[in-house]
Amino acid sequence: MRIVLSYGLGVDSTAILLRWLTDPASRWFDLRDLVVVTAQTGDEWVETAYLVEQHIYPLLARHGVRTVQVARAGPRQKDGIVVLDDTTHPILCLSSAPGAYRLSEELLSVATVPQSGGIRKCSLKFKGWPLDEFIAGLVGADEYVHVIGYEANEVKRMLKDMPLGLPTRIPSYPLIEWGWTRADCERYVLDRLGVKWPKSACVQCPYAFSLAEGRERTIPRYLANPYEALLGLTMEHLAVAVNPRQGLLAGQQLYDLIVSNPDSGPLLELFERHLDRLPWAIYDVRRAMAAKPGDAMARGQTHRSLELLVEGTRADVLAHLARAAYLLGREVETDGRHHRVWLRTRNLYYPCVEHILTAAPALANDKSYRSFEKAWLAGLNGPAQLALSF
Ligand code: SF4
């Protein structure tokens, strides 16, 4: 029977692999039956990929373990997955590779950041789905053991996972069997490899900032890897330009957290130069917010239309925006970093709308869903839309 390990590159699954590869008594199967599968989001920290290449891939290659890396091939499920590597002698951890559709590509194209509340949709789409697709093709209708690196204190997650994929998927949770917590895994990897294994995550992962401990770990990572940090900062800059309520820290901005660090000067200078080099655009952004049924104070579904009006250098675009504001008899609202002109502001009651012209890097695509115009008209004609008039 095949043993399939979902290898997320983090300390938990690294500890499992390391123990299995170095301590045969810890496993019940032959390594020829093991398949190690990683789903690449395209945005993993290079440091993690480098450590995997240095410490784990040589071990897997020595034992001839089949090692597979997969990714989404595009935004829709019908685009399928791409197998980036499938080998018994892995060398490169392809954290970003040609042919793979990256999570950041998707987020930038719609001018947003990963959402930090509720279920992790980005993880389901960019990790869970490609893994499931590959495994389904690998095992067909055969029974297989699916190994997951839940920690000893994650029994609730285990209980939720256990019934999935029955009857052919037989789940296995070695860390829970061994009673290993995250601290045990970190200690084990440190003892064996002499490495304090970093947290595996996308550079722009908002969950890395949700707790004080995560912020303390991630801000130094940003400062130490400024070229990678540009991805998260640029993504947030674009998202906030389009919607001032966005930010990588659950509505607050990562930028503000970085600014407050006394060592942030070189990163912020690099970020400014990076913004200067990008193409810029003025976007016309309209947002229509419905009311929840029977409650005009509660926001229902939001529809958005994003239209790129004019492109140029950063200086050109800011000059265009100032001119537009003058012609429309408005002010340019700015916090020194973002510049926007409000054409309509939202109301306290729903349905309502808001409408801005905003300057930002030209990385997002025009986008509005078919349902937008209907929602826009409903908001515009809502009972209490106190719009600024044209
Ligand atoms: S690491 Fe964070 S951003 Fe990346 S897929 Fe997982 S939850 Fe989303």
Side-chain angles (χ1 to χ4, degrees):
M1 192 184 296
R2 279 214 178 82
I3 316 293
V4 181
L5 169 70
S6 294
Y7 184 34
L9 312 179
V11 73
D12 298 331
S13 44
T14 296
I16 296 173
L17 258 185
L18 203 52
R19 189 165 185 209
W20 279 350
L21 294 172
T22 58
D23 174 10
S26 67
R27 56 181 154 82
W28 71 96
F29 56 89
D30 191 292
L31 288 177
R32 277 173 301 194
D33 297 327
L34 176 63
V35 183
V36 174
V37 193
T38 299
Q40 297 282 11
T41 65
D43 298 325
E44 178 61 61
W45 288 95
V46 170
E47 168 193 32
T48 312
Y50 176 67
L51 287 172
V52 169
E53 289 171 3
Q54 233 189 352
H55 296 285
I56 303 302
Y57 280 0
L59 269 176
L60 288 168
R62 193 178 312 152
H63 292 280
V65 174
R66 185 172 173 191
T67 306
V68 182
Q69 298 177 67
V70 295
R72 287 189 77 99
R76 294 155 305 181
Q77 291 200 347
K78 70 176 184 197
D79 298 323
I81 61 168
V82 53
V83 176
L84 304 171
D85 201 14
D86 185 348
T87 176
T88 50
H89 287 80
I91 297 172
L92 293 177
C93 181
L94 300 164
S95 54
S96 88
Y101 178 64
R102 300 174 65 177
L103 172 57
S104 54
E105 202 176 326
E106 174 148 305
L107 296 166
L108 288 167
S109 75
V110 292
T112 191
V113 291
Q115 302 307 303
S116 51
I119 51 168
R120 301 184 182 204
K121 283 190 191 160
C122 47
S123 181
L124 292 177
K125 182 167 181 178
F126 282 80
K127 292 180 181 175
W129 186 77
L131 280 177
D132 288 348
E133 283 295 291
F134 177 77
I135 294 171
L138 176 77
V139 299
D142 297 343
E143 283 190 344
Y144 71 103
V145 175
H146 190 193
V147 182
I148 316 276
Y150 291 158
E151 298 156 10
N153 44 3
E154 293 186 306
V155 173
K156 268 192 189 160
R157 288 182 82 188
M158 179 188 83
L159 291 173
K160 263 176 93 176
D161 180 75
M162 279 174 83
L164 304 179
L166 292 173
T168 49
R169 174 182 180 265
I170 301 161
S172 169
Y173 313 95
L175 297 178
I176 293 180
E177 284 166 32
W178 301 339
W180 284 19
T181 61
R182 180 176 190 82
D184 294 318
C185 294
E186 285 174 344
R187 208 171 310 116
Y188 183 77
V189 173
L190 184 63
D191 285 351
R192 294 288 159 138
L193 303 178
V195 173
K196 190 170 180 334
W197 202 265
K199 197 154 175 54
S200 149
C202 299
V203 171
Q204 73 277 13
C205 183
Y207 294 96
F209 304 106
S210 48
L211 298 175
E213 179 205 350
R215 290 196 282 273
E216 276 160 30
R217 191 175 48 228
T218 310
I219 295 299
R221 213 171 182 185
Y222 262 67
L223 298 179
N225 301 280
Y227 285 94
E228 287 181 85
L230 292 179
L231 176 65
L233 287 170
T234 306
M235 187 179 288
E236 182 183 73
H237 187 94
L238 174 60
V240 173
V242 164
N243 181 356
R245 287 169 292 275
Q246 294 218 57
L248 272 169
L249 315 184
Q252 292 181 313
Q253 291 178 40
L254 168 65
Y255 185 92
D256 294 330
L257 192 61
I258 288 183
V259 163
S260 65
N261 187 298
D263 300 322
S264 62
L267 171 57
L268 296 176
E269 275 172 37
L270 185 72
F271 180 47
E272 277 308 307
R273 288 206 301 276
H274 175 68
L275 288 180
D276 283 340
R277 279 197 296 268
L278 288 173
W280 277 61
I282 293 180
Y283 294 94
D284 179 291
V285 186
R286 291 183 293 156
R287 208 170 268 109
M289 289 143 282
K292 281 211 167 131
D295 187 354
M297 291 291 282
R299 195 175 83 187
Q301 200 179 352
T302 297
H303 300 257
R304 191 191 71 178
S305 158
L306 187 73
E307 197 182 340
L308 194 150
L309 297 182
V310 59
E311 277 188 77
T313 64
R314 189 181 191 182
D316 287 342
V317 161
L318 291 180
H320 279 310
L321 189 69
R323 174 109 180 112
Y326 171 75
L327 292 173
L328 291 165
R330 304 264 188 263
E331 297 285 324
V332 176
E333 178 192 82
T334 180
D335 56 4
R337 299 188 297 121
H338 302 96
H339 299 76
R340 58 180 81 82
V341 176
W342 286 94
L343 300 179
R344 288 190 169 84
T345 52
R346 70 163 68 178
N347 198 291
L348 273 178
Y349 301 98
Y350 302 98
C352 63
V353 297
E354 65 182 20
H355 188 181
I356 56 173
L357 300 179
T358 189
L363 301 171
N365 302 332
D366 283 2
K367 184 136 195 164
S368 68
Y369 290 100
R370 232 174 284 143
S371 54
F372 175 76
E373 289 304 334
K374 199 171 157 210
W376 175 257
L377 284 177
L380 208 53
N381 300 321
Q385 172 67 46
L386 300 177
L388 292 166
S389 59
F390 271 108

